[in-house]
Amino acid sequence: MIRLERRASASQFWIWATPVVAVALTMVFGGLMFLALGKNPVDVIRTIFWDPLFGEFAWYLRGQLLVKAGPLILIAIGLSLGFRAGIWNIGAEGQYIIGAIVGAAVGLAFYPTENRWIFPVMVIAGAFGGWAWAMIPALLKTRLNTNEILVSLMLVYVAQVILAMASTGFLRNPEGSGFPGSRNFSSYPAAGNPELIAGSGLHWGGVMAIVVAIAAYVLLQRHILGFQIKLAGQAPRAARFHGVVPQRLIVLCMGISGTLAGLAGLLEVTGPAGQITIDFNVGYGFTAIIVAFLGRLNPLGIVLAGLIMALTYIGGEMAATNLGLPSAAVQAFQGMLLFFLLGVDVLTNYRIKLGGGA
Amino acid sequence: MSADQPTLFAAIGIGKSYPGVRANDDVNFAIKRGEIHALLGENGAGKSTLVKMIYGLVKPDQGHMEWLGAPFAPADPARARAAGVGMVFQHFSLFEALNVAENVALGMENPPPLAQLAAKISKVSADYGLPLDPARRVGDLSAGERQRVEIIRCLLQSPKLLIMDEPTSVLTPQEVEILFKTLRQLAAEGAAILYISHKLEEIRALCDRATILRRGKVVATATPAKTTAREMAELMVGSALASPARAGKAQDFAAGAPALEVRGLSARSPIQFGTSLKDISFAVAKGEVLGIAGVAGNGQDELILALSGEMACGPEMIRAKGEAIGAMGPNARRARGFVVAPEDRLGHAAAPDMSLVENAFLTGAVQRKLARRGFVDWAGAKAFADEIIAAFDVRTPSSGVAARALSGGNLQKFVIGRELRQSPDVIVINQPTWGVDAAAAAFIRQAILTCAEGGAAVVVISQDLDELMEISDNFAALNEGRLTKPRPRAGLSMEEIGLMMGGAHGMEVAHG
């Protein structure tokens, strides 16, 4: 019989070994899945993990890495603060969409004015949009004790409807010959978010992600708010005894994660995406949940996890186009990563014991 | 009375290990039919492990057990019950929304129809002097009545051996007397009782023999009636015990302004099935220790939440040194020299997975100025943790270990030390020595008394009457969220205390 036995204290080894083992297991079982789909698993895994970095098109794909990792890290850092406090914002995707719409709307309202303050104002508007969208589940939870997981998740679908309305209606490009989608920000310099160094893939989103990761690290290690966030997640009653007001913490953490998701949305729509379209969102808000846990809710871990996740995105796309792999298989592969991560994570606090029930 | 009776149960060379702990080591003891046998030991001495083996919850690593001379190795509790073992746990497993008969039926393998069962319950409860109405909802019962449900559930199976785990911790003195009568009657009918407790006077009054465990080993077998409580305590601890002492004489604390004044404190409980506080009033002077007794669940948790600032109440309901602080949060109160130590060490007073440094910061941040502009001074927090560890003799490898790695007594010393080292003027402590070994308990009581001598006003809420008798100047009792008027402890009889805890004293008006 196999039993789990609680460790006296969390294993330092497994805290860091867990993500590595999870990635390894994902490769093994993902490989089996690709085999079952009739593909050569070694080819697929090389396409996903190796080619984007060192393959033929690496000069282009490496830049894409930062483009994809930026928003993932930005959103995941915000989510991780809430997750640490036991506040489950699952609706970052919705906050991302609303942030993009609000920020884009502010920018487009100035079109075609050229002023260097337009972009900063758009950034603030985008952050505000994400914050406001996150405040709905936060206030419903603190006032009416609703479940923030359900409310924030359902608001994603509301946000998607608003996105469809925006791209076919109130934000549609009047010169777009009736096609859905807003004006393209790449042709509106005052509101654009271009690559900062040509070919690097780095835009303001990447810069912001690094700044936020460092700030979050300092917050958690040194600031009393970081202590309160950790305390509330680990021992809610001890947190109240310390003096934390749970409602305030909920509003704060939901607000931070909403703000960062909105920011990511705005920087994406003005940069790599270029315009508001019906399907401009590609699930960063959901993938960021995996990134947050893959990075062990630790800001530095999240930066690494964001890069790995971006790699699977880019590699997955390559595998889909070059090897004819269904895109659902790539999503299943990413899902496996979270699955194995949470599974192996048990070993941090428990050890496996073989033997009888005695 | 049981010397000539045959042996019912015997443990022979029993051993059991958990990671890092030898819970039982070569334990030998026997219980005769018709005997009330005490199993005595401090927390962590191995009593629970031993009992779980008899009840089929745990299997021994070494040795074996015998039941009426035959080998006995119950694979699970159902088989132990079939052999005739009944057990009443310290923590009840009852469904509050169901009535007594339904709860009893849920614990039986093949329950009879409810009407029949109700009749049986009534009969057993009458036979053994345990009044209980099978149709009442368990949520409405007192702790003592809930325990009767558990006892009657066992009695319906006519057990040959009844195991009782700390049965009196939830009872008033009067209820204890009723329980003892029942147990004596059971023993007279030939059943054996294994009585687990660390309350020595009770064991002296009730038990025929006592097996004393220390660190997993049997260290002595005693006849309680012929052994003093002090001798038994020293066998349990393995060293001589010092009683707490107060230098000062009894004083009249009524004169002078109170350091803590609670007036008309009423508040709804934030806890489900909790007890609301009803018009609680008391005052504590500098240097005074007020003991608040009461059976668990009568408002202790709520009173602590109201005093710590975790539960909102009217500003004027609580005054510290004349200032209205009822509406203030925990940190504003700490800044005014008002500290609180809750009962639950792991999860309330301390965060189990955080280090002692972080746990020192948990309440010490304000008074020790451990946060500047929101940034934590971890070096200062570590110094504070190390100071507590040194001053309160907390046994730990370092201040960096997680709180849950400490033993109960050591963590309690840390938690109490953390509050007392903040030079407080008002100290409120709930269950200062709950689940703590005797040596640590004596140390903690002495530390509390030393603070009182230094001029602090102290409130100690406890379910341990002996403890309250030892350290308090004035005494009050909580009953269903109401507090009796405090009375001088000196001269109170056990009977008067029992009446106060039962709510009969000074409560006529309030109940009317």
Side-chain angles (χ1 to χ4, degrees), chain A residues 94 97-98 133 153-165:
Chain A
I97 293 171
I98 297 297
W133 205 244
L153 179 62
M154 289 190 293
L155 282 170
V156 172
Y157 304 106
V158 178
Q160 282 174 351
V161 172
I162 296 175
L163 176 66
M165 285 161 58

Side-chain angles (χ1 to χ4, degrees), chain A residues 51-307:
Chain A
D51 287 354
L53 292 176
F54 309 107
E56 195 185 343
F57 301 103
W59 55 269
Y60 168 72
L61 293 174
R62 277 187 214 154
Q64 283 297 301
L65 202 61
L66 284 182
V67 169
K68 305 271 186 207
L72 285 176
I73 293 169
L74 207 51
I75 301 170
I77 297 262
L79 293 180
S80 71
L81 296 179
F83 292 168
R84 285 231 177 178
I87 297 159
W88 305 100
N89 178 7
I90 303 299
E93 183 78 1
Q95 293 137 26
Y96 172 87
I97 293 171
I98 297 297
I101 293 176
V102 173
V106 168
L108 292 172
F110 287 109
Y111 184 84
T113 320
E114 285 294 333
N115 186 313
R116 63 197 173 96
W117 292 106
I118 290 179
F119 186 65
V121 170
M122 288 171 71
V123 169
I124 292 166
F128 172 80
W131 175 83
W133 205 244
M135 278 305 104
I136 300 172
L139 293 179
L140 284 174
K141 183 175 176 70
T142 53
R143 296 286 153 82
L144 302 172
N145 203 21
T146 58
N147 183 317
E148 80 276 20
I149 300 176
L150 293 176
V151 177
S152 64
L153 179 62
M154 289 190 293
L155 282 170
V156 172
Y157 304 106
V158 178
Q160 282 174 351
V161 172
I162 296 175
L163 176 66
M165 285 161 58
S167 55
T168 56
F170 61 89
L171 288 184
R172 188 170 59 180
N173 184 357
E175 292 151 26
S177 5
F179 282 106
S182 71
R183 285 183 198 279
N184 200 310
F185 287 98
S186 58
S187 53
Y188 180 23
N193 174 25
E195 253 183 344
L196 296 173
I197 303 162
S200 69
L202 185 73
H203 60 79
W204 283 112
V207 175
M208 208 77 95
I210 293 161
V211 171
V212 166
I214 293 169
Y217 183 81
V218 172
L219 177 83
L220 286 171
Q221 295 297 322
R222 294 265 154 219
H223 199 271
I224 191 163
L225 180 61
F227 172 77
Q228 291 176 343
I229 284 172
K230 289 187 273 187
L231 187 60
Q234 289 183 16
R237 282 162 66 226
R240 279 196 291 276
F241 176 57
H242 164 73
V244 172
V245 180
Q247 282 79 7
R248 251 183 253 165
L249 202 65
I250 290 167
V251 169
L252 194 78
C253 284
M254 290 293 284
I256 291 175
S257 54
T259 302
L260 292 179
L263 207 55
L266 179 273
L267 294 171
E268 185 70 16
V269 77
T270 51
Q275 65 179 140
I276 294 275
T277 53
I278 287 183
D279 52 357
F280 125 87
N281 62 312
V282 288
Y284 284 142
F286 289 123
T287 312
I289 298 170
I290 305 181
V291 171
F293 279 103
L294 194 61
R296 308 213 56 89
L297 304 183
N298 174 315
L300 305 184
I302 286 170
V303 172
L304 280 177
L307 290 168

Side-chain angles (χ1 to χ4, degrees), chain A residues 325-345:
Chain A
L325 202 68
S327 63
V330 174
Q331 285 167 15
F333 187 73
Q334 290 170 342
M336 275 184 193
L337 193 55
L338 181 66
F339 174 84
F340 283 116
L341 183 80
L342 296 178
V344 178
D345 196 35

